[in-house]
Every structure is written in C-alpha cells, then in structure tokens.
Amino acid sequence: MLRPRALAPDGSPVDGFLFEDRSVTWTGVEPVEAGIRIELELAPTDDPDWLVPGLFYGSNRSASCTRIYPRYTTAGTDVERMESDHWSFRADRCATPAVFARGGGLLTTERSPLGQAGVGFARRDGRPVVWLDFPYREEPLRYDGSETPAPPDVQTYRWSPGERVELAFRQAGDPTVLRELRSPIDDPGWVGVEEAAALAAHGLHRWHYKPDPPRLIETAAFDRDAFGSSGDRDAMHVSWVSGAPYAYALLRHGRRVGAEHYVHAAESVLDHIAASLTPGGTYWAQWTAQRGWTTGWHPDRSRLHARTLADATLFMLRAGGRWARSARSNVAVAVRTQREDGALPAAHHVETGDAVAWDGTAGMAWIPALVAAGELEAARRAGEYYAQVDAWCGAPEDVDLAPTSEDGYAAVMAFVALEDWANARRAADWMLTFRYTYDVRFEETTLLGAYGFRTRGADNASPANQHLHAFGLVCLRELVELGRATGDDYYIQAARENLACFRQFIARADGDFDAYRGMASERYYQTDCFQAKGMLLTLSHAWSVGMLLLGCEDALELQLA
C-alpha cells in the first residue's frame, strides 16, 4: 500500500499536489515550499526488524551499549538519549538509499529532481511504515557523530505553479534485492594492484615504522611542517588499528619483491609483539609511548578486547615460524575460557586471561585463529554457537556493542575458516549491506569531489561511526574463497570492487591530495557526519595503508587482479 503525500517544513500536509504513478505536479497558483513523501505500509508485526543499509539495524543499539547514537524504541522520543519510535535520514548516510522492514521495503537514488533524497520509518497501529522523502528530512534529530544531538535538518523544495517532476523509486520484497545492484563497473583505481602494493609498503615503512622499540605508529599527520611528529599517534595496537596484520603484510611484500629493509622492519615488529605477553598468557592490546604495553582503549585497565587479541593471534600464526609460539599461548587461553555452549569471551582479564565479558560477538574472531592452530573441536563448537546469531556486534574497541561492518568481517572470516558455506554466505550478505552500491555525489569544490572519488565498493564503518573505510580488505581472501567454493561470483565481484575503491587515494607522490607518498587516510566523509561531506581526514593510519597492502598481496596471490 503505497501512499504519496506532500509535507510542509513543519510536517503538516500540503494539499494541491497531483500524484500519477511516479510523477508529481503542483497544481496551485502560487509557489509553495514542500517535500514529497512516498510511504509503504506493511502487515502488522511486533518485530519490524528495521534495516537501512549501513545505517540502521533492528533497534540499532542495545540498551546496554555505552556509545550514544540513534536507537529505535517503542517508548516515544528522548532526543538527549537519541532514542525514538520514528526516524528519518538523508540518503548519503545509506550504503544503498533504501529502507526495509519485515515484509517489504523501498529503494531510491541518492539524488532526485527535488534534491538529495531521504529514508525513514515508524511503527503505527502495530504496522511498520517505511518511506522515502524528496528532499530529505532528518528527524527527530541530526546525528553529527558526537553524543550531543543536533537540531533536525528538514529540507523542502520550492515548487512553481504547474511544475511537474518524475521521482525514481521502487518497491522491494526484502533486502536480497541489494544483490541486483552489484554489477561490473569500470575500475576507479588510480594505480594498478602492483603499484598500489609498492606505494602502501613504502608508506607503511616510511611514515609508520619506528625502530626503537619496533612498532607501527597508529597515525602520521599529512602536514609534517605545522605538526611534525606532534600530529602523530605514537602507539601500536597489536591488531585492529596497527600491529600484526600489517607487519605480516609488509613481511609478505618484502619477501615477494626482495626488499630486505621491509622484511627486517616487519620481523622486528612481530618480534616485539611476540616477546610481550601478559601475565594471563595473551598479547597486550596496545603499546604506547607513555605507558609501554597496556590494555587498549577500554577505560577498564584490566580488560583486553577479544577481537584485538584474536586478530593478532591469527596473523602471527599466518606469519608462522618463531612467532607461532606466542600465538599458541593466546589460543590456549581462548580454548580454556570457552563456555560449555561454545561461546568465546568478548574480553579477557589481563592478569589471568579469564573471561570478563560475554556481551556481543567479539569472541567470534577467535574462530579463524583456532582453526589455524588446529583446535578444530573448539572452533566448531564456537561456530555452532555464533551461527544462532542473526546480527553481530561488538567487534571494534571504540563503539562498544554497536553493529559494525567489522562484525561482518569477523563473521565472514569465522565461517569461511570453518568451511561453513551456508553461514558464510549469510554473514557475507549481512556484511555487504554496509558496502556502498553507488557513487555518492560530491561538490567539485570539495577534496573528494575535485579528485572524483568514487564510493562504490567502500563500507560505512558503522551506524555510530558514519564514514567510509577500507577495513573490508581484511576479508578479501575469504570473500574470494567463498565465491569460488559456492560458484557465486557476487562475492568475488564485491572483493574486486572493494580493492578497486581503495586504490584511489593512496598518495602517488609527495603533495598528492596534501599527503606524502604512500600515505592513506582512515576516513572519507561521504555524508554530514564528523566533518563536512567531501572532506578527507588528514591523517595516514597504519591500518589504512597496511590493509591496502594486505588486500593487494592477497589479490596477487589469488590471481584476483
């Protein structure tokens, strides 16, 4: 049941519009300010199961999540808590401009003749209602990335008498329609895979490697004159935003091209991580210049995040050799602390290794490491437990129990490691809802617009952290394995698009987009969140450079390029 209507800026109805299929005509004799809303009312349900790709998942935030960002509740609106029973958003926040509930959904494009489009939803009289706005309305608040709600952002269009427009939208049965939107595209990469790998290796070594102690510093400022090293973050997580995965990638690259200085740096970083175990038998989460080895970003200084430890363990095992012994110490802690039902801890105590948290699914990240270490029974039991989960959350340290694209990566890596292809497909399909299926339109006066940045193939980090990032390259290998095992090229194409997207904005020479050769940013601002749309975070991140290097090395090995 589609219902079109016109809304004034205050949300009240505006009469005098003629609706014919997808055309809208203003029949009044005077200009009017109004937006058009296309609503779809669905069958009654107690669980609407909202989905706005890349932006809103179910309630979007559990009651216990400490990070504040938009959440759906049935108890009305609390703006300060960012909780509401109705939400509307601008389209460029969406990985696909679409909105779904149980029973159906609507899709549109980012831009319309009336301006940027929007999406929204509410539950009325027991029925989910989803809608598209032309132009967008952000209500009951505007989320700018902070925990302080901003005023609503309501856009309208000034109609002239007799003006007629055609709107682009369609109705869909369920989110599987998103698969249709991923067709082959022209490669937007600025450089080929070999050159991207060479640039990333140079950048990781030149700007992020420090020898005493051996580490990959987490950030390096683009502006070396104004900020120098004071703009850098002299710290190293053992994985996630630095550490083992990227040292491993540099090691592979150095060995492949015969660059001994890369090999030496990578081995030194891996040695530093391997030599520093906690009393509980795990890796530390982070090294910092001020405190040495410590527990990472959680305020509880006795707590180590499981996903951070697990990914470090996996890549140390992949590096093999002398680094495997320390990794097996971590694996032993995971096996010892596994619950009877197969669950693995979300966090471990620094002194004992014991579980200190179970909420969320960060423990799923242990599964690939368990498989790599030969702990197959423990891995299978964990896989059976996490296969019961419909949506995953809690993978990164910085957004607590928010659903994130990184949870999708962890799930894909886990189920592919288990060769559980049915659940791997389910995880990949969920993860790919975070991946942009279109190219956001940027003003030519912005940096991203001036350089023609194409967003298709990039992932929104999370509903709490709305920016595009390259972290999906961590499971490029697994997506290709999934596609080849199932004969479904959809996943292989998604992997190609992801790598192609981030062969943009790797600095080709000093001065390229105000960076230095080999630098790559963490954040591309595709919407009005944190910074203005079209801006680029002017920090090179070890993980951004390292993830591109890892993706390139995997693509070359798998002959994906």
Side-chain angles (χ1 to χ4, degrees), residues 274-302:
S276 307
L277 297 180
T278 66
T282 67
Y283 296 124
W284 292 90
Q286 186 187 35
W287 179 91
T288 70
Q290 296 77 25
R291 299 191 302 273
W293 286 108
T294 185
T295 53
W297 288 357
H298 196 279
D300 181 351
R301 291 300 176 191
S302 68

Side-chain angles (χ1 to χ4, degrees), residues 193 252 476-477 480 484 499 549-561:
V193 176
R252 284 175 64 190
L476 178 143
R477 170 179 293 277
V480 174
R484 290 175 177 174
L499 182 59
L549 180 57
L550 178 66
C552 288
E553 291 300 318
D554 282 343
L556 291 167
E557 181 183 322
L558 296 167
Q559 298 183 330
L560 181 67

Side-chain angles (χ1 to χ4, degrees), residues 24 37 58 75 262 264 321 352 355 420 435 467 552:
V24 183
R37 175 167 289 182
Y262 290 161
H264 172 74
T352 65
D420 180 350
R435 189 154 293 176
H467 60 82
C552 288

Side-chain angles (χ1 to χ4, degrees), residues 100-423:
F100 298 93
R102 196 174 300 280
L106 294 169
L107 292 84
T108 187
T109 55
E110 181 203 358
R111 308 295 299 184
S112 82
L114 307 183
Q116 184 174 153
V119 304
F121 59 84
R123 188 165 173 264
R124 301 176 189 149
D125 300 322
R127 290 177 177 271
V129 180
V130 298
W131 61 75
L132 304 173
D133 284 319
F134 305 96
Y136 72 84
R137 304 171 70 98
E138 294 217 299
E139 299 173 305
L141 58 91
R142 170 179 152 266
Y143 179 64
D144 64 7
S146 75
E147 297 192 350
T148 301
D153 178 8
V154 175
Q155 301 292 310
T156 55
Y157 179 78
R158 186 170 180 80
W159 294 80
S160 299
E163 186 170 2
R164 178 179 179 274
V165 302
E166 291 282 337
L167 299 177
F169 62 89
R170 62 168 163 151
Q171 193 171 337
D174 60 55
T176 58
V177 70
L178 299 178
R179 290 177 64 97
E180 301 172 13
L181 305 177
R182 199 168 300 284
S183 56
I185 60 170
D186 294 334
D187 188 338
W190 296 357
V191 294
V193 176
E194 285 272 11
E195 187 177 352
L199 288 169
H202 169 81
L204 192 62
H205 185 267
R206 172 67 180 86
W207 304 111
H208 294 276
Y209 174 65
K210 305 295 179 185
D212 187 20
R215 61 201 187 276
L216 296 173
I217 64 170
E218 291 172 357
T219 69
F222 284 10
D223 192 334
R224 311 304 296 172
D225 177 62
F227 299 106
S229 61
S230 66
D232 301 342
R233 188 196 306 157
D234 192 359
M236 178 180 72
H237 270 71
V238 294
S239 71
W240 188 40
V241 294
S242 187
Y246 318 115
Y248 165 74
L250 187 62
L251 179 66
R252 284 175 64 190
H253 179 82
R255 287 173 172 172
R256 181 173 66 81
V257 302
E260 185 55 37
H261 60 303
Y262 290 161
V263 172
H264 172 74
E267 290 180 340
S268 298
V269 172
L270 295 174
D271 285 342
H272 186 208
I273 295 171
S276 307
L277 297 180
T278 66
T282 67
Y283 296 124
W284 292 90
Q286 186 187 35
W287 179 91
T288 70
Q290 296 77 25
R291 299 191 302 273
W293 286 108
T294 185
T295 53
W297 288 357
H298 196 279
D300 181 351
R301 291 300 176 191
S302 68
R303 174 185 172 121
L304 298 161
H305 196 65
R307 190 278 192 103
T308 303
L309 304 181
D311 275 7
T313 301
L314 173 64
F315 284 94
M316 295 290 269
L317 287 167
R318 287 182 177 177
R322 62 183 181 269
W323 305 293
R325 182 177 178 182
S326 67
R328 291 185 181 279
S329 176
N330 284 262
V331 167
V333 172
V335 172
R336 175 176 63 79
T337 55
Q338 187 173 27
R339 277 192 332 213
E340 281 295 316
D341 63 2
L344 291 159
H348 297 263
H349 196 281
V350 68
E351 294 292 335
T352 65
D354 292 343
V356 297
W358 296 98
D359 291 344
T361 56
M364 174 183 279
W366 281 117
I367 292 175
L370 294 176
V371 172
E375 295 285 353
L376 300 183
E377 181 182 354
R380 291 190 189 107
R381 288 175 53 223
E384 290 170 2
Y385 174 83
Y386 292 109
Q388 303 171 74
V389 178
D390 292 326
W392 300 277
C393 67
E397 292 183 19
D398 60 341
V399 292
D400 195 36
L401 296 175
T404 71
S405 56
E406 295 178 55
D407 293 284
Y409 313 149
V412 169
M413 293 170 74
F415 290 122
V416 168
L418 292 166
E419 298 184 356
D420 180 350
W421 304 119
N423 280 306

